[in-house]
């Protein structure tokens, strides 16, 4: 199904014109209410994930897709990190969540929509601080606590 037919489907569901549906989709994407991502060569990634889990004794491993980001594959990591963070915050399995800092966690906190988790305790594991404002750990803490309503602590 092509992108045009998706817009038509959305338009029919919300009772709007295709043009209005396109605007609504664009706005929802900009606000972080929807995410669009494309997966490729998933079978090879799953096999690699399973091999890493088996070799390292891990319960969970997810391999980032190669989005041709160069030395720092931030886009691919953000897709996986944001999804993982949303799953951790939306479930009831974890009440205490440890969180690192840097460019990748900072970017992962930006896209998710409001995820209420007021019972959670977010513990930010800081080993060193950075001068780069986009990755300042206190900005990450503030954004995540604000989006979840959780208590935030710095270790």
């Amino acid at each position: 199904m092509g992108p045009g037919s998706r817009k038509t489907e959305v338009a029919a569901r919300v009772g709007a014109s295709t043009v209005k549906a396109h605007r609504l989709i664009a706005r929802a994407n900009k606000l972080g209410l929807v995410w669009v991502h494309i997966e490729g060569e998933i079978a090879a990634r799953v096999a690699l994930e399973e091999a890493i889990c088996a070799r390292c004794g891990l319960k969970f491993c997810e391999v980032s897709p190669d989005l041709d980001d160069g030395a720092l594959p931030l886009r691919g990591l953000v897709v996986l990190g944001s999804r993982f963070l949303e799953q951790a915050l939306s479930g009831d399995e974890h009440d205490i969540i440890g969180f690192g800092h840097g460019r990748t966690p900072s970017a992962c906190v930006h896209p998710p929509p409001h995820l209420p988790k007021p019972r959670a305790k977010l513990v930010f594991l800081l080993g060193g601080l950075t001068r780069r404002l986009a990755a300042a750990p206190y900005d990450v803490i503030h954004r995540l606590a604000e989006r979840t309503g959780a208590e935030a602590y710095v270790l």
Side-chain angles (χ1 to χ4, degrees), residues 25-95:
I25 292 167
R27 182 169 181 192
N29 191 26
K30 184 177 180 181
L31 293 173
L33 300 173
V34 296
W35 298 336
V36 178
H37 67 278
I38 300 169
E39 300 267 350
E41 299 183 28
I42 196 160
R45 285 191 15 233
V46 169
L48 182 56
E49 291 166 356
E50 290 172 354
I52 292 171
C53 283
R55 182 170 183 181
C56 299
L58 301 174
K59 291 180 182 178
F60 176 80
C61 172
E62 201 163 358
V63 174
S64 172
D66 182 3
L67 300 177
D68 198 28
D69 276 349
L72 180 65
L74 194 58
R75 286 186 304 154
L77 293 172
V78 167
V79 168
L80 295 183
S82 296
R83 188 172 62 209
F84 181 81
L85 180 60
E86 182 177 12
Q87 289 170 351
L89 290 170
S90 63
D92 288 330
E93 185 178 351
H94 308 290
D95 284 332

Side-chain angles (χ1 to χ4, degrees), residues 122 124 126 136-146 152-154:
L122 307 172
F124 292 83
L126 303 177
Y138 298 105
D139 292 341
V140 174
I141 292 167
H142 176 73
R143 280 197 312 249
L144 191 55
E146 188 176 71
Y153 301 91
V154 177

